[in-house]
Amino acid sequence: MTTDAVEAMPAPSLIVGLRLSGKKAAVFGSGQSATSRAVFALDAGADVVMYAPSMPSSLSKWVESGRLTLVSQTKYSSSDMSAFSVAFVADAAPADQHTVAYDAQAAGVPVNVAGSAALSDFALMPTYRGSSSLQIAVTTNGVAPRVASRLLQEIVSKLPSDLEPQLTDVARLSRIALKAARQRDEALEKLDAMPTGRDTDNTSLSLADISTAATATQTPESPLSSSGSVAEEAAPASMLELDELRAGAAQLELTTDVQVASSYVAHGLSDLCFVYSAREQELGEAALVWSRRAKKNAYGDWASALRMETRAGAGHALWGALSSGSRVSAIASAASLPYMLPVLSELVARKQSVVVHAAAQSLDNVATAQTDFLDALVALQSHAVFLVSSSPQEAHDVALIAHAVSQTASVPVVHLTNGAQSASEAMSVRMASHSRLIAYVEAVVAAARKLNASPADTIQLAFSQFKGAFGRTYCSFEYSGSPVAETVFVSLGEVASRAQALLPKLLSESDTGVLSVRALRPWSLSEFMSRLPSTTKRLVILNALGDCDDSPDALFADASLSVLVGCSAAPIEVLSRNVYGADQYTFANAVREACGLQALPAEEEAAGSADDLGQQQQQASVPLLATPAPSASVSSAHAIAQRLAFPEAFATQVAARPGEKTFDVKVSSLYRMTPETYDRNIFHIEFDTRGTDLTYEIGDALGVYGHNDPAQVAHFCRLLGLDGSQLVTAVKDDQCQTRSVHSWLTHALDLFGRPSKRFYAALAEFATDEKEAEKLRWLTTADGAAEFKERVSDTTTYADLLLEFTSARPSFLYLVDLVAPVKPRHYSIASSAKMHPGSVHLCVVSVEWKTSRGELRAGQCTRFLNSLSIGDRVVVSVKPSVMKLPPIDSQPVIMAGLGTGMAPFRAFIEERAVRKMQGANVGPMTLYFGSRHRAM
């Protein structure tokens, strides 16, 4: 929904009823979405023709009644469209979606395409389904202007001049009544000037077919879901119980999780809440549900929640909303924070009030959710305030404190909520009413105004006011454990909670404590030191950092600096442990090892620590203390033959990339685009996709699974004495795979990729030479950081390390576990499927460089692509992109390829060229590009 020019357009969206009684509707597809659309049309009185390979059993009664007819999709012809009054497309391939949409547009038939607002004339409104008509929504944001302009003109012209009887908010009666006449006149002027997009005479949808159901003039907009319809969801009970708080209950105790607890506060204290959720996460769902259900915030205003894309430039919506005077918050994954960094920094400089509730979690290499603070620590350089919570109760409380601090100190606040383990665990939470939320925020604002408090002082003031209002105590640093502790663990959120859960057992064996960091920014050196027992000799920083090879540990740096500057007694040693992905056993023994205690046997840990730590997700990981048995095993030819002979019994799948959606394509063209004298090899490659079901959209990227050089692999096998023909079965990428050693090293393992610090540490466990083992461990420490960085810059590979440290010789079964898998390299597609059906093109820059030793090296995938010949087969996948052409052909496009690559813009230009050849009114396109040299 567009929010532009709200003052001039009182009805940005329309909900209308489409009368279908006695008319015909076409439905394309056979999945659940297509079935639902067929039922909606049938309920509204239409006769339905369903173009699908088979008829869903749930529709059999309609077939028997004669109102539903099944037709094979292969028998569909463009000329058939004129017989229908409306068309629906769902569960269909992108090419079929475009074909039906264009046919419908040509025939003047309103069409809804699930998953594509750009191709749809309207959105389905199943939550408003009526008996006499099919409820639909028509937008005015550039989609379907032909339909929207006629509907708006009909409805706005009938708006009463006096809207007072329709208003419920007494405080706004005067202002809205005065503006009503002017808004109506301005809306009609806009409608007269609105482009029609398609010939208004070429349509079978007349005003006689429309019955007005509602407008968005005085009600909040109903956001459309990504499928082009309003999502029809059942809210969890905890969400519905919160209505009691909105109705005036002072406090409500209910069982809920971290996300609902923090979302309740965000929704209650905001006018606009933006949800930046990674694809694998479901963040902000509660706020989105309340927005759809038109729940008001604590101020009595309509509160809207909008789902946004996580990409470069994410966060600009925050700036735009703040400039309009709205109270703004965001619910995001921590992975969104680096994308928001420029905007957050600007908001800090401009002293803007906004709160970002960020979930500190990520997915590991087997798609298991893990607590991860890496992205959050990277975003510290924005200089925003950072507060941390762990349990659902803390999430509710710290969210409220964050909003109070932000409004009082006029500063952006990032509230880091719990990680993977308990983000989905429901616990009893005492939730404050809307009136108490506002009362607390106003109390903090009033107290800070008297003191002229800084952001750091405001945080302390907010903690103090919270204790007085709710009776719960929070501090910037919260210590628990022995008052004479020698070893103190310092950590954030969920990791600190896990360490605290171990204290009862640890205190019986060692004087230990845990310092949980609540206020990460601004960092208070004096308070940090005051919380440490005077007996402290050692600080151990427990952090969860997913992939921190090149990223500084900000928490370690803060603690080290505090000890260096603030310690006047004996020096305190500062150590660091990365416990990302650690299971119960590994985490507990990492803590015990730091305390100088003996590691627990696995069976004792399994029996004793479950009660302390709760149910934790189990995963294979490189341990800190011991080397587990490898997951891989040698397979006999007989066992392989059995699996191939009886695939059903063994669930055998023969595939290049098991468990992944890939396509086998053939090279049809390959040539160099730049002169031989040019210093870069830029080549063009085309793949024949005929015979596959590969489809792509403009802006998508092609994932190419490159192979390691077979000659280099064979040389490596000879040096390490590996038998390339030996069959090995192992779990990789969450799939059990059987390959030969040569195939593992050529197609599955990133042998010539750069290893992480985890590999250095793991390799040290296998070194029989103590000096080599010590050197490998040293490279993972802060002292070895400079050399490690040089090795990264010099692209030291897994193979290089194994050949350099000759005493570290893990068996190949261990190597399968330790070496990262080959991942697809993604290249922007440089072609339009409409101009080149059955083909996909890439424009690739060959990546080559010299190491410090003078060795010439090339990028794994560009080397692979450049070595192909016509007819060679390649395994590829398609990755969707957020970069798309505008939905209206006549809209102008400015393309800037100042170092980002020209490939996607080649596809954009081809796409517009095809539309122009088809007779569309195509807007101007301007391309700006950079040059590596002044003389071209």
Side-chain angles (χ1 to χ4, degrees), residues 637-708:
H638 177 72
I640 301 302
Q642 277 188 321
R643 294 175 194 169
L644 293 174
F646 305 100
E648 294 83 4
F650 291 94
T652 304
Q653 177 189 6
V654 179
R657 309 294 304 185
E660 299 180 40
K661 178 67 173 179
T662 59
F663 309 92
D664 187 25
V665 298
K666 183 171 62 176
V667 178
S668 57
S669 178
L670 175 63
Y671 58 87
R672 177 169 177 149
M673 300 171 66
T674 52
E676 293 292 342
T677 55
Y678 190 65
D679 59 354
R680 302 183 86 193
N681 175 15
I682 303 175
F683 59 92
H684 179 88
I685 186 167
E686 300 178 8
F687 298 103
D688 185 352
T689 64
R690 290 175 297 179
T692 73
D693 57 351
L694 185 151
T695 59
Y696 61 92
E697 301 289 340
I698 290 298
D700 288 353
L702 193 72
V704 178
Y705 294 85
H707 300 171
N708 290 321

Side-chain angles (χ1 to χ4, degrees), residues 32 78 91 96 132 143 170 237 426 478 516 520 522 554 585-586 626 631 701-702 711 723 751 802 839:
Q32 182 59 45
S78 299
D91 307 314
D96 295 332
S132 61
V143 179
V170 178
E478 298 165 6
S516 176
L520 187 57
Y585 174 74
T586 305
S631 66
L702 193 72
D723 179 5
L751 180 64
L802 289 166
S839 181

Side-chain angles (χ1 to χ4, degrees), residues 393-689:
Q393 183 66 68
E394 288 185 3
H396 168 275
D397 295 350
V398 177
L400 178 53
I401 293 169
H403 280 269
V405 170
S406 181
Q407 290 190 31
T408 303
S410 296
V411 63
V413 177
V414 176
H415 168 213
L416 293 178
T417 60
N418 208 343
Q421 268 68 25
S422 58
S424 59
E425 291 179 1
M427 300 174 64
S428 178
V429 180
R430 284 169 287 177
M431 312 283 276
S433 67
H434 274 177
S435 59
R436 294 190 73 189
L437 296 181
I438 292 181
Y440 168 73
V441 172
E442 291 177 345
V444 175
V445 171
R449 186 181 298 117
K450 296 178 182 178
L451 301 176
N452 193 23
S454 67
D457 295 333
T458 302
I459 294 173
Q460 301 307 316
L461 183 61
F463 288 151
S464 175
Q465 291 284 338
F466 192 90
K467 182 178 180 180
F470 299 97
R472 296 187 286 277
T473 302
Y474 293 102
C475 305
S476 296
F477 302 94
E478 298 165 6
Y479 180 79
S480 55
S482 171
V484 292
E486 295 186 353
T487 299
V488 176
F489 294 92
V490 181
S491 193
L492 307 170
E494 187 265 344
V495 178
S497 297
R498 294 181 73 184
Q500 289 167 345
L502 293 173
L503 277 177
K505 183 177 295 185
L506 291 173
L507 288 173
S508 65
E509 303 177 64
S510 173
D511 289 324
T512 308
V514 176
L515 189 64
S516 176
V517 179
R518 179 77 60 195
L520 187 57
R521 284 294 183 275
W523 180 272
S524 175
L525 184 151
S526 59
E527 187 173 356
F528 175 81
M529 294 302 300
S530 69
R531 295 289 178 179
L532 294 176
S534 59
T535 53
T536 302
K537 295 181 179 179
R538 183 186 304 106
L539 292 183
V540 181
I541 312 302
L542 293 178
N543 220 331
L545 306 175
D547 186 4
C548 57
D549 290 346
D550 301 319
S551 301
D553 184 345
L555 183 58
F556 178 83
D558 289 337
S560 299
L561 182 61
S562 298
V563 168
L564 180 65
V565 175
C567 185
S568 58
I572 298 177
E573 182 184 14
V574 183
L575 307 174
S576 179
R577 295 288 186 272
N578 185 7
V579 292
Y580 173 80
D583 57 19
Q584 296 177 37
Y585 174 74
T586 305
F587 184 89
N589 277 336
V591 171
R592 294 180 64 82
E593 182 252 352
C595 294
L597 302 175
Q598 184 177 1
L600 292 174
E603 57 272 15
E604 180 181 343
E605 177 60 25
S609 64
D611 293 335
D612 296 333
L613 297 177
Q615 293 295 329
Q616 304 289 342
Q617 302 244 354
Q618 299 293 321
Q619 71 161 36
S621 61
V622 178
L624 301 178
L625 298 175
T627 303
S631 66
S633 61
V634 176
S635 297
S636 66
H638 177 72
I640 301 302
Q642 277 188 321
R643 294 175 194 169
L644 293 174
F646 305 100
E648 294 83 4
F650 291 94
T652 304
Q653 177 189 6
V654 179
R657 309 294 304 185
E660 299 180 40
K661 178 67 173 179
T662 59
F663 309 92
D664 187 25
V665 298
K666 183 171 62 176
V667 178
S668 57
S669 178
L670 175 63
Y671 58 87
R672 177 169 177 149
M673 300 171 66
T674 52
E676 293 292 342
T677 55
Y678 190 65
D679 59 354
R680 302 183 86 193
N681 175 15
I682 303 175
F683 59 92
H684 179 88
I685 186 167
E686 300 178 8
F687 298 103
D688 185 352
T689 64

